[in-house]
Amino acid sequence: MTENRIIYRWKYSRFRMIFSGLLITVCGLSFGQSTSKQITAKLITDNIVLDGLMDETIWQTAEVAGNFQQFFPSDQVEAQYTTEVRVLYSETHLYVGIYAEKAPGDYVVSTLKRDFGALTNDNISLLFDTFSDGTTAYFFGVTPYGVLREGLVSEGGAAFNNTWDIKWQAEASRYDDHFVIEVAIPFTSLKFPEGTSTWRFRPCRWNNQSNQQDSWVKVPQQQLLSSLADMGELIFEKPLGESRMPIALIPYINILADKNYGLDESDTQFKTGGDAKISIGNGMNLDLTLNPDFSNVEVDDIFTNLTRFEVRLPEKRQFFIDNSDLFENFGNTFNEAKPFFSRRIGLARNAEGNLIQNDIIGGVRLSGKLNKDWRLGVLNIQTAKDEANEIASNNNMMLALQRKVGARSNIGVFWVNRQVMGDEGYITPEDNFNRVIGADYNLASEDNNWNGKFYLHKSFQPGDNTGNFSSQATVTYNPRKWRITEDLVYIDQDFTADLGFVPRTDVLKWGNGIQHIFYPENGIINTHAPRLLTIVYWRPSLDYKKTDHRYTGSWEFAFRDQATAEFSFTNNYIFLTAPFDPSRTSGAIPLPGDQGYTFNQASIEYTSNNTSVFTYGANATIGQFFNGNITALGAQFGFRVQPKAQFSLRLDYNGIRLPDPYADANIFFATFRSDITFSKSLFWNTLVQYSNRQENLGINSRLQWRFAPLSDLFLVYNDNYFTETFAPRFRSINLKLTYWLNI
């Protein structure tokens, strides 16, 4: 028996012991939830004029949710400035009235566009856990300028998605020392159990003018302000009836003209299609899409990837957003093995192996809550056949079922299936289908101090049904002064998820992290926290040879003015099993494989207070890189013209120096953004990106007119240039009209 095998058996025994011990320990950590504050919503028959004045007499009879607690900079004191929230409701609407005092002077506001950022805008946000499960919730936010944002909270508050849209209204009035907001949310825009008389509820406030964040119910500062563990209770005088969302039809028309200058090809297209949203019962939504078009979705940011592995990018397409956590959150906590990743749908590899766009014919998604304890998700998308590029039509399906356990934990099972449709001659038998099944246990204790995930997944391919497992056991303990994480991962070398995100297989990983948080009583530093992190990877197929490690010591600082800083030192080890060129220079000699490389790096990062009109940040990494050296520098600058315009510039440089005969590299990219809001309904966003590695200058400019609630006219211009000759590469312009119709 080899030494590596002996070491592995010892490690695997510890893996099983720790996995079993953690599972037994944490399964009992979820108890019944408690609520520390209550407010009663008064049933009314009077009309509320939504004008941001709250001058109707009925408002004065409503109960007041006051006595807010500060969250930042300290969670040990009451809020400095008074915030009062009143709630009324009729048979059709939920009304919220807000009175908020402030320091004299200018408000902090960066935009008039919907779905603003909380850290750069004074605002009040409302969390509604309508099923009282402590896991998912709706949120609604309003600035003193009456700008709206809404979205979905999932994973107990850890995930925050503001791309979800529904119809609701709010108006605000501003004064030198306070502001007033009136909100009207139709019950038809929400899902809730029939006959319910209580929701879990919490308003919170970003008072960025004074660098403070407040909450009606106290939230410990080591948690997120969006945490659903700490909530109050909203009590309705009369139980609510059925949740009756209207059917929504969202057709679109798109005219697109483009030219590929490299191939000297032009094209003009006229596309139509649309979506439909249908309410099923009190908690389920049926979403349909036909010939979807995502031309108005913002392009991805460019970035430098110096690793050997793929990077996961966020989903921005609206159809895949609603209840996305029900589909996307299965699998590895740290994005090392996700069985489903919606961005895979609509992309395919052509005969040359290049990734290209693959049209979506249509799809259906049924998702939501069956009741308080059960959630169901069914997604089915059909992609088109592309004979010219030897791409077959595929049916892409996922079924997910989730059961609440205890106060805030849950167990979920799923089935993912990609199936070739038809009998195309260019499709090999092993590509006919890919299937993944699995089960996840997601831990979230009542006080949110314990979080974790335990899962086991298995994939199936034609003629390959043995092994193919992916698994993880991870737990984080996060009391007030500590954050301790233990992470164990195993991914078989044959585990395959065609619709998932699996950057590396053949992995046994062990990660450990410990961080201590200090809370100074005085000075400019609000908290500071040293951290030690160790991550080690072994390759089972190589007799459990260690192939990677990363040992990091860091110190994080959060300042009272909301600026942040971090210092870190990392010792890296990478065993290359195959030749690899970290400079990614065409024609360069790669570093030899079957060899290990140890190198050290030091990093520093600083970000200024984002609430200031002028913001800035910088980061630097210096040290060794494989058998050479690296210097990585970055800077970002932002400027706001309140409340209608904001501009930002980001610069990044990576200088790689390797000894002869290996290649050096100077990698530079720059990103410029401008966001101009002419009004609450007319917006102009421009993104300019330059990359010397891609030899490309790209421009994406979008003019959006919201002419009716959730109905838009987009004019989108894309332009790309070769940077060596500054000649045009690709250019397009499209005009897209969408209209939201409730029936």
Side-chain angles (χ1 to χ4, degrees):
M1 183 179 295
T2 66
E3 180 182 357
N4 282 341
R5 177 67 66 177
I6 295 171
I7 293 173
Y8 161 68
R9 287 196 171 180
W10 173 78
K11 290 171 180 172
Y12 186 66
S13 297
R14 290 202 64 182
F15 181 99
R16 291 188 301 175
M17 179 179 66
I18 294 172
F19 187 104
S20 302
L22 289 176
L23 185 59
I24 293 170
T25 301
V26 302
C27 281
L29 289 176
S30 296
F31 307 102
Q33 299 175 72
S34 60
T35 52
S36 57
K37 288 187 175 181
Q38 296 180 339
I39 182 175
T40 299
K42 184 174 183 177
L43 179 63
I44 63 171
T45 56
D46 300 347
N47 292 324
I48 299 292
V49 178
L50 215 65
D51 53 13
L53 297 178
M54 211 162 59
D55 53 359
E56 290 86 355
T57 304
I58 193 67
W59 281 118
Q60 307 310 313
T61 66
E63 286 190 16
V64 176
N67 300 319
F68 275 53
Q69 180 82 19
Q70 198 174 99
F71 172 78
F72 180 90
S74 172
D75 59 6
Q76 302 299 305
V77 299
E78 292 187 357
Q80 181 179 356
Y81 296 95
T82 297
T83 305
E84 295 179 347
V85 177
R86 293 172 168 85
V87 184
L88 305 171
Y89 73 109
S90 67
E91 294 294 332
T92 59
H93 283 76
L94 180 69
Y95 297 98
V96 182
I98 301 162
Y99 171 87
E101 295 180 353
K102 60 178 284 291
D106 293 337
Y107 292 86
V108 173
V109 57
S110 62
T111 183
L112 296 178
K113 186 178 180 180
R114 195 169 182 141
D115 294 334
F116 57 87
L119 294 178
T120 55
N121 292 270
D122 290 331
N123 71 93
I124 304 288
S125 288
L126 309 167
L127 290 166
F128 296 101
D129 179 359
T130 59
F131 281 82
S132 299
D133 61 9
T135 303
T136 59
Y138 301 100
F139 77 84
F140 299 87
V142 189
T143 75
Y145 281 75
V147 182
L148 311 183
R149 71 168 184 161
E150 72 277 87
L152 303 173
V153 179
S154 59
E155 299 181 56
F160 206 71
N161 193 325
N162 67 352
T163 54
W164 175 74
D165 287 326
I166 54 95
K167 291 185 177 181
W168 62 293
Q169 295 176 285
E171 295 294 339
S173 57
R174 298 179 303 281
Y175 306 90
D176 189 52
D177 61 350
H178 73 279
F179 60 92
V180 179
I181 294 174
E182 287 183 314
V183 175
I185 304 172
F187 283 118
T188 54
S189 294
L190 302 172
K191 290 291 188 180
F192 48 84
E194 181 180 0
T196 185
S197 59
T198 60
W199 293 352
R200 297 177 77 237
F201 167 66
R202 180 164 58 85
C204 46
R205 176 181 178 182
W206 277 262
N207 185 357
N208 293 313
Q209 181 200 28
S210 300
N211 288 318
Q212 295 176 12
Q213 297 164 23
D214 304 328
S215 173
W216 179 46
V217 177
K218 179 181 178 180
V219 179
Q221 196 173 109
Q222 79 272 15
Q223 309 287 353
L224 297 172
L225 187 54
S226 57
S227 170
L228 301 181
D230 303 285
M231 300 281 282
E233 195 170 53
L234 176 61
I235 302 172
F236 295 95
E237 280 189 339
K238 176 184 175 183
L240 302 177
E242 291 183 78
S243 173
R244 297 179 178 274
M245 282 189 173
I247 296 175
L249 300 179
I250 315 169
Y252 80 84
I253 299 173
N254 187 26
I255 303 172
L256 170 67
D258 62 53
K259 181 172 183 179
N260 188 321
Y261 287 85
L263 300 176
D264 194 24
E265 295 178 350
S266 299
D267 189 25
T268 301
Q269 299 179 25
F270 176 80
K271 294 179 64 177
T272 61
D275 296 347
K277 294 180 177 293
I278 303 170
S279 177
I280 307 294
N282 290 307
M284 300 291 293
N285 292 316
L286 178 65
D287 292 90
L288 307 172
T289 187
L290 179 64
N291 194 28
D293 173 79
F294 306 111
S295 59
N296 58 299
V297 175
E298 183 178 323
V299 299
D300 292 317
D301 291 347
I302 59 174
F303 59 92
T304 300
N305 181 12
L306 298 178
T307 73
R308 297 159 289 163
F309 309 108
E310 181 185 11
V311 176
R312 186 170 181 248
L313 298 174
E315 176 63 86
K316 299 181 180 180
R317 298 173 296 180
Q318 182 65 37
F319 179 78
F320 295 97
I321 296 301
D322 197 7
N323 287 313
S324 61
D325 69 293
L326 189 54
F327 302 98
E328 300 271 1
N329 288 352
F330 285 95
N332 193 278
T333 304
F334 304 106
N335 291 324
E336 291 171 308
K338 292 284 189 180
F340 181 77
F341 178 39
S342 60
R343 285 191 59 137
R344 296 287 187 227
I345 301 175
L347 294 174
R349 295 197 179 276
N350 60 16
E352 290 76 36
N354 298 317
L355 204 61
I356 64 172
Q357 182 175 329
N358 183 210
D359 289 341
I360 295 175
I361 298 173
V364 57
R365 182 184 64 234
L366 176 67
S367 62
K369 289 183 177 291
L370 297 171
N371 55 41
K372 179 180 178 180
D373 295 327
W374 288 92
R375 297 178 74 198
L376 173 67
V378 181
L379 176 70
N380 194 288
I381 302 288
Q382 188 72 33
T383 56
K385 180 170 67 173
D386 183 352
E387 290 187 352
N389 289 294
E390 297 187 0
I391 298 172
S393 175
N394 278 268
N395 183 261
N396 308 276
M397 188 275 291
M398 182 175 185
L399 169 66
L401 184 64
Q402 189 180 88
R403 173 67 159 86
K404 180 183 174 185
V405 178
R408 303 178 59 245
S409 303
N410 61 72
I411 294 177
V413 295
F414 71 89
W415 175 35
V416 178
N417 183 59
R418 179 201 59 78
Q419 182 79 49
V420 170
M421 307 300 290
D423 186 17
E424 312 300 338
Y426 46 79
I427 298 298
T428 60
E430 57 267 24
D431 291 330
N432 277 329
F433 69 83
N434 170 253
R435 294 168 188 142
V436 186
I437 62 173
D440 290 39
Y441 170 65
N442 298 294
L443 165 71
S445 65
E446 179 192 7
D447 59 7
N448 212 41
N449 283 349
W450 288 90
N451 287 273
K453 178 183 281 286
F454 301 81
Y455 79 77
L456 180 64
H457 301 166
K458 179 177 173 58
S459 67
F460 300 87
Q461 297 80 238
D464 184 13
N465 299 320
T466 303
N468 306 346
F469 288 107
S470 171
S471 59
Q472 181 183 33
T474 184
V475 171
T476 296
Y477 178 52
N478 188 29
R480 180 169 177 78
K481 294 185 177 181
W482 293 94
R483 183 175 179 86
I484 303 171
T485 299
E486 185 80 16
D487 182 37
L488 298 165
V489 176
Y490 171 75
I491 306 171
D492 187 82
Q493 64 177 336
D494 294 323
F495 179 77
T496 304
D498 288 354
L499 296 182
F501 179 81
V502 189
R504 64 195 297 183
T505 58
D506 193 18
V507 164
L508 176 64
K509 171 198 170 186
W510 189 356
N512 302 271
I514 182 168
Q515 185 175 43
H516 184 64
I517 306 170
F518 294 92
Y519 298 85
E521 294 184 1
N522 301 299
I524 63 173
I525 296 175
N526 192 59
T527 62
H528 60 97
R531 182 180 66 165
L532 294 176
L533 175 67
T534 66
I535 301 176
V536 183
Y537 292 89
W538 296 272
R539 287 282 296 274
S541 68
L542 298 179
D543 204 17
Y544 296 91
K545 181 179 183 62
K546 186 175 79 169
T547 57
D548 301 80
H549 79 225
R550 185 166 73 251
Y551 304 145
T552 300
S554 62
W555 209 302
E556 300 175 358
F557 297 85
F559 298 92
R560 295 188 188 276
D561 67 351
Q562 300 193 56
T564 61
E566 181 178 0
F567 304 89
S568 65
F569 179 84
T570 302
N571 171 259
N572 299 278
Y573 171 77
I574 295 177
F575 180 84
L576 294 179
T577 57
F580 172 66
D581 175 26
S583 73
R584 287 182 169 81
T585 302
S586 178
I589 298 174
L591 298 179
D594 197 27
Q595 183 174 328
Y597 299 83
T598 302
F599 50 97
N600 300 314
Q601 296 175 348
S603 299
I604 182 174
E605 182 175 354
Y606 176 80
T607 302
S608 71
N609 178 5
N610 284 326
T611 66
S612 299
V613 172
F614 176 73
T615 61
Y616 57 92
N619 61 274
T621 298
I622 59 173
Q624 302 163 320
F625 189 61
F626 288 91
N627 61 346
N629 296 285
I630 188 171
T631 300
L633 304 172
Q636 56 187 12
F637 307 93
F639 180 72
R640 295 202 306 271
V641 181
Q642 299 192 138
K644 293 191 174 183
Q646 53 183 332
F647 308 94
S648 66
L649 174 66
R650 178 169 181 83
L651 306 171
D652 283 274
Y653 167 78
N654 285 271
I656 299 173
R657 300 293 180 264
L658 303 178
D660 292 334
Y662 311 111
D664 295 340
N666 293 296
I667 306 170
F668 176 79
F669 67 84
T671 302
F672 171 78
R673 292 179 183 273
S674 71
D675 296 301
I676 300 174
T677 53
F678 300 101
S679 67
K680 293 182 185 179
S681 59
L682 186 61
F683 324 114
W684 181 28
N685 303 328
T686 300
L687 174 65
V688 181
Q689 300 186 100
Y690 165 76
S691 171
N692 71 331
R693 174 53 57 92
Q694 299 174 359
E695 298 181 0
N696 185 76
L697 174 67
I699 302 171
N700 174 260
S701 191
R702 300 184 306 155
L703 185 66
Q704 177 185 356
W705 174 34
R706 177 147 287 186
F707 60 88
L710 303 183
S711 303
D712 299 287
L713 179 67
F714 291 95
L715 180 63
V716 184
Y717 174 74
N718 285 288
D719 208 351
N720 290 269
Y721 293 87
F722 295 100
T723 55
E724 287 189 350
T725 58
F726 202 70
R729 179 194 298 257
F730 181 84
R731 184 173 294 159
S732 70
I733 187 168
N734 65 288
L735 184 67
K736 180 178 179 181
L737 175 70
T738 66
Y739 186 74
W740 185 298
L741 175 65
N742 284 344
I743 58 176

